[in-house]
Every structure is written in C-alpha cells, then in structure tokens.
Amino acid sequence: MLSENSLTHPPFTLIVRNKEKVSYSLKKIMVALKNKQIGVKKPFREVIDVSWGDPHRGGVKPLTFVRQVLAACLYPQLMNGEKLPVDVRQRAQKLLDGCAGWSVGSYSATGGLPEIVQRVSEFISRRDGGVPSNPENIFLCCGSQWALTRILNVLVNAEAPFPTGVLTPAPCYSTTPLSIEGLGGVVIPYYLSEERGWELQVEELHRALESCKGACHPIALYVINPGNPAGQVQSRKSMQEVIRFASEKRLFLLADEVYQGCVYGETEFVSYKRVLSEMGPPLSDTVELASFHSASKGFMGECGLRGGYVELVNLDPAVKKYIYTLFCADSSPPVLGQIALDLMTNPPQPGDPSYLLYYQVRSRSTVVKNVKKACEVINSLQGFSCQAVEGGAFAFPRIHLPAKAIQKAKEAGMQPDTFYCLRLLEEAGVLASPGSDYGQEEGTFHIRFCILLPHDVLGELLQRLSDFHTQFMKDFS
C-alpha cells in the first residue's frame, strides 16, 4: 500500500536516464532504407505505413460530429448560422461556457475542465453498470501514456538501494518498458500465452515474480486490455485472478484500457474497476488501481489532439494529493484534447440530428471485416500464424523464418524480424513493426501492423505482404 512516507521524488521531477539504451528498430529501418535506396526506382508508388496505431494516418476519415464541434469551438462565429446541426451548436456552446473567456485558448484547471471531468465520471459509471465514480479521483491529461509515466514516477524509487520492479506483459507496447527503465525501474516481463490466444495466465505471473527475487523490489503490475500489440481481450475470470494476485503480492495495479471501444470477438470488454468492485470487500476496498483511457485510440483516432484520463481507486489521500501536485507541473491538459475526450464519452444520442451519421461512420462492421480478412490472408501464407484478433488496433502474427534468413540478419547485425521488416519496406513499400520491439519468447519472431484502415487500403497492404512474403520464402529456403 502506498503511503505518504513512500513518496520519494520531488513533486516536479520526472527522472529520465539511460537514454543510450533506447533504440528503435523502425528508426534503424528508415535510416538503412535512406542510405541504401536514394534514387532507386521502386515497384510501388507510395509507402503504406502501418507501424503506428494512427487511423487517420492510414486514411480513416475523422468523425464528422467531432470535427464540427471542434470547428465551432475554435471559431464560434460558425454557430451564428444554420450550416451546422443544432446538436453540434448546442454542444459547442456548452463546452465554451466552461472555458475561461469563452475560448479554447485559455488554461483550464490542472485536472481538466470541471464540467468535462464530471461527464467523464458519469461515462465511467454508465460503462461499469452503475459502479460509482468520483470526479475527484479523475485527472484529465494529454494522453494516457503521459499519465501512466507520471504514476510510474510516483511508484518507482530510483534512489533506493534496491531497484523498483514493475511486472510488464510481453509482448508489450514499447513505450511503457522504456518509461520504466528511464525512471530507474526494472521491467519484470511476464509472457502472454500465444498458443492460448495471448492469454494472461496467473501461473506466469507467479513465475515472473519468483524470477526477480533478489534483483528488485516489485511494486506494480501493468496490464493492457485489450492488448497492444497482441489483440487479446481478457475474460472476467482472468481479471479476477489477476486482482487476487495483485492483492496477495501487495502490488499496485495499472490497467491500460485505451482500446476498450475496439472489441471484435465474443469476449466483451469489462473494466478492471468494475470487476474489482463486483468482487466486493476486502478486495474492492484495498487493491490500489489506476486505469487509463484515451481519445487518441480506437474509433476516435484523434492521436494529435492528445486527450486522455486516469482514474485512481483506493489510493491514500496523501498520495492522491501528491499525484495532483505532480500533474500541476504542466499547468493544464490541452483543451482541444479535453473536448475530444468529452465527445468520445458523450456521443450523439438517438433523436439527435447527428446520431445517424455518427453511428454509420463509427460502425465496427468495417473493422470486423478487416480483422477477419487479415487473419485469413496471413494464416494462408507459408510460415505465418496469427491468433484471433479480439480487440485493439493491431495484428501481431508470428513468422517462422528460414534458417538462411536468420543467418543473413545476424550478419547484418539485426534481429531477424527487423531484417524481415526492412526487406518488406524496401521491396513492397509496407512499413510494419518488428516483434522484437515489443518483447517476445526467445526464438520466436513476429511483425505488428495496424488494422484500423479503410478496407481498400488493407486489401492493398495484404496483397503486397502476400507477394513479398512468397518471394522472400523462396529466396531464403
């Protein structure tokens, strides 16, 4: 349990170190391509970049309702006529009423505009079947990763003689392990079971915890649900086991739930807060939890607006006050990001003029088709195997590379899947991410690519990947 006495960092300090350890395979790929291929004619007209979870970059159009409200907030004169739907004008006016000087250019409160914080709290309670949500436990921020890093800054004691450890999934979105190490902490990897659909197994958590004995002091458990990059969605039973484990081992639970709106399989998304609440005392009163969500991910895809939130559960009031002070270091989160978050958590309702268009565009049917098509095509290719993608923004297939390709990669000083991704970019114009960037079982190789794409773009991507892969396997067999 965190207490005021366990807080060791000055409130305005974000510790960053060991920057020389930070290496990005994608950067290496781009540099290698630039050095080797200047002026060389390619068999493709443009690169398809699916290395990011950035739907707009991939060609997905922004939601009309969101952009109309943002436009009206930025240029209020648009509300004078009737070019914008009435619900858009009403929402923009309501949002501007909460801004100082009736302008989105003004600072907001450090934790976010109070009216938006209140509506986010109401969204959480609706999502969780009526479980209460206190606005005082919610902080708006410039993206979920920003908030996660600040919470890690509270948890990780870089000055202690014994380093702080954080249990982290493998595979895992690469920024989080880098943040932990940058703060002076130790990443304790626990491996998701690929053979069982990237399932999080509590037995693996016990193994990971046992493996770090004598090396660090474990203080937190980080989970990603739905998964990034693996695309799994946790079952309620699995989440209950994780919560019991966190309670037994006195670990702070960090729940990254930014893809909760992107679920395509049979397992529905349930938040860790809801499961914890429904388990009842003493767990519901004692397990410390921070859960994160964002307007940058999923169907909103407003990556550039930087809007997210963190909700804190069961924290000591002194610790919560300290976190608030830490958040104060950046004055206030971007107001446009806060507005995007408000629109995500409170979309048009039946009867509103914008309702039909909003839900036609937001329809998950295109993504479900993309998921099905991607898995079918990938699993039809020699040497590829892809687990079902239940949620999130990515496919993360395993690739069984020929021995000659692995040897060639070693000669080039690269990880084998980085070598594969470089060739894929050079020869097919597809920029994907190598699995070695995310952590994977020894001797296994993967690639990651975004599936939140227009259907025709995904079709072109899969055709290029298929043609390249067939030739690659011939060349190195």
Side-chain angles (χ1 to χ4, degrees):
M1 178 74 71
L2 283 181
S3 66
E4 187 172 14
N5 293 332
S6 66
L7 303 178
T8 57
H9 302 315
F12 300 110
T13 301
L14 180 62
I15 301 171
V16 179
R17 56 182 52 151
N18 296 332
K19 288 185 179 179
E20 67 273 11
K21 290 185 178 180
V22 179
S23 64
Y24 296 94
S25 297
L26 284 177
K27 185 176 180 180
K28 291 180 181 179
I29 289 171
M30 295 303 288
V31 169
L33 181 65
K34 183 177 180 181
N35 291 340
K36 292 173 62 179
Q37 303 296 329
I38 292 176
V40 177
K41 190 172 182 180
K42 292 293 178 182
F44 48 86
R45 298 185 62 180
E46 59 184 12
V47 171
I48 301 177
D49 185 353
V50 284
S51 62
W52 299 65
D54 187 346
H56 296 177
R57 175 189 290 259
V60 174
K61 300 302 181 186
L63 295 170
T64 301
F65 175 75
V66 172
R67 289 308 175 90
Q68 286 177 332
V69 174
L70 288 169
C73 288
L74 283 162
Y75 191 63
Q77 288 88 332
L78 290 174
M79 292 186 283
N80 293 337
E82 296 186 359
K83 291 185 177 180
L84 295 176
V86 63
D87 58 336
V88 168
R89 286 177 275 145
Q90 289 172 347
R91 179 66 71 88
Q93 178 154 350
K94 186 176 182 180
L95 288 163
L96 287 171
D97 285 342
C99 298
W102 223 59
S103 171
V104 295
S106 304
Y107 285 124
S108 75
T110 299
L113 292 164
E115 296 85 357
I116 294 181
V117 174
Q118 176 62 41
R119 288 194 287 271
V120 168
S121 174
E122 293 166 358
F123 155 78
I124 293 171
S125 186
R126 288 196 306 272
R127 179 201 67 188
D128 292 342
V131 175
S133 173
N134 187 342
E136 294 183 1
N137 294 332
I138 298 170
F139 298 89
L140 306 191
C141 52
C142 56
S144 59
Q145 194 64 40
W146 184 96
L148 175 58
T149 302
R150 266 58 185 181
I151 301 300
L152 287 170
N153 194 36
V154 174
L155 295 169
V156 175
N157 184 355
E159 299 172 2
F162 209 48
T164 304
V166 180
L167 279 88
T168 307
C172 175
Y173 177 59
S174 55
T175 302
T176 302
L178 291 173
S179 296
I180 294 168
E181 292 180 346
L183 291 163
V186 175
V187 174
I188 308 169
Y190 62 89
Y191 292 92
L192 304 177
S193 174
E194 182 169 8
E195 294 73 19
R196 301 189 63 172
W198 298 109
E199 182 178 84
L200 195 170
Q201 297 178 306
V202 73
E203 296 83 5
E204 172 62 12
L205 294 179
H206 284 285
R207 183 211 59 79
L209 202 61
E210 185 68 23
S211 72
C212 71
K213 276 188 175 179
C216 65
H217 170 56
I219 195 171
L221 168 59
Y222 174 60
V223 294
I224 311 174
N225 183 43
N228 177 9
Q232 82 285 2
V233 177
Q234 267 189 283
S235 68
R236 189 184 295 263
K237 179 177 180 290
S238 171
M239 296 168 75
Q240 290 170 343
E241 291 175 347
V242 169
I243 289 170
R244 292 190 188 98
F245 174 84
S247 175
E248 177 190 344
K249 303 302 181 182
R250 300 178 63 83
L251 297 172
F252 192 110
L253 190 54
L254 302 162
D256 186 335
E257 300 175 328
V258 299
Y259 285 111
Q260 61 188 258
C262 295
V263 176
Y264 325 116
E266 295 181 2
T267 304
E268 65 172 342
F269 169 81
V270 184
S271 76
Y272 263 91
K273 182 189 174 187
R274 177 171 185 171
V275 174
L276 176 61
S277 175
E278 292 176 349
M279 291 176 77
L283 294 174
S284 61
D285 297 330
T286 56
V287 174
E288 295 170 300
L289 168 68
S291 58
F292 306 87
H293 195 14
S294 172
S296 301
K297 305 301 180 182
F299 288 103
M300 281 287 286
E302 296 289 357
C303 300
L305 293 181
R306 313 311 305 146
Y309 73 76
V310 56
E311 183 183 26
L312 306 174
V313 179
N314 292 331
L315 265 66
D316 183 294
V319 176
K320 193 169 66 174
K321 183 179 179 181
Y322 178 88
I323 292 172
Y324 179 83
T325 305
L326 189 66
F327 276 38
C328 284
D330 285 353
S331 299
S332 68
V335 172
L336 290 181
Q338 295 183 57
I339 290 175
L341 194 63
D342 183 77
L343 300 175
M344 178 189 75
T345 55
N346 295 277
Q349 299 301 305
D352 292 344
S354 301
Y355 176 79
L356 287 178
L357 177 60
Y358 182 88
Y359 281 95
Q360 285 172 0
V361 175
R362 192 186 182 278
S363 171
R364 62 193 287 269
S365 60
T366 297
V367 185
V368 171
K369 289 178 183 177
N370 280 2
V371 168
K372 184 178 180 181
K373 182 175 182 180
C375 290
E376 286 178 351
V377 171
I378 291 168
N379 285 324
S380 71
L381 297 174
Q382 177 192 359
F384 261 124
S385 61
C386 187
Q387 297 294 323
V389 179
E390 297 180 325
F394 305 98
F396 193 65
R398 179 175 178 179
I399 177 171
H400 301 266
L401 293 170
K404 287 184 181 179
I406 295 173
Q407 180 59 35
K408 192 72 173 179
K410 289 180 179 178
E411 292 171 2
M414 294 183 185
Q415 291 290 332
D417 45 17
T418 301
F419 174 75
Y420 182 90
C421 286
L422 174 59
R423 294 287 295 260
L424 177 62
L425 178 58
E426 288 178 339
E427 299 173 22
V430 173
L431 180 55
S433 304
S436 50
D437 276 0
Y438 306 98
Q440 52 193 355
E441 290 271 15
E442 186 72 26
T444 68
F445 311 110
H446 301 78
I447 66 171
R448 186 192 84 156
F449 61 90
C450 182
I451 54 174
L452 298 183
L453 301 168
H455 200 62
D456 59 332
V457 176
L458 181 76
E460 173 68 16
L461 160 70
L462 294 173
Q463 186 62 58
R464 292 193 196 184
L465 175 60
S466 299
D467 294 343
F468 162 79
H469 182 75
T470 300
Q471 188 61 48
F472 182 92
M473 296 299 281
K474 286 181 181 178
D475 291 344
F476 289 98
S477 62

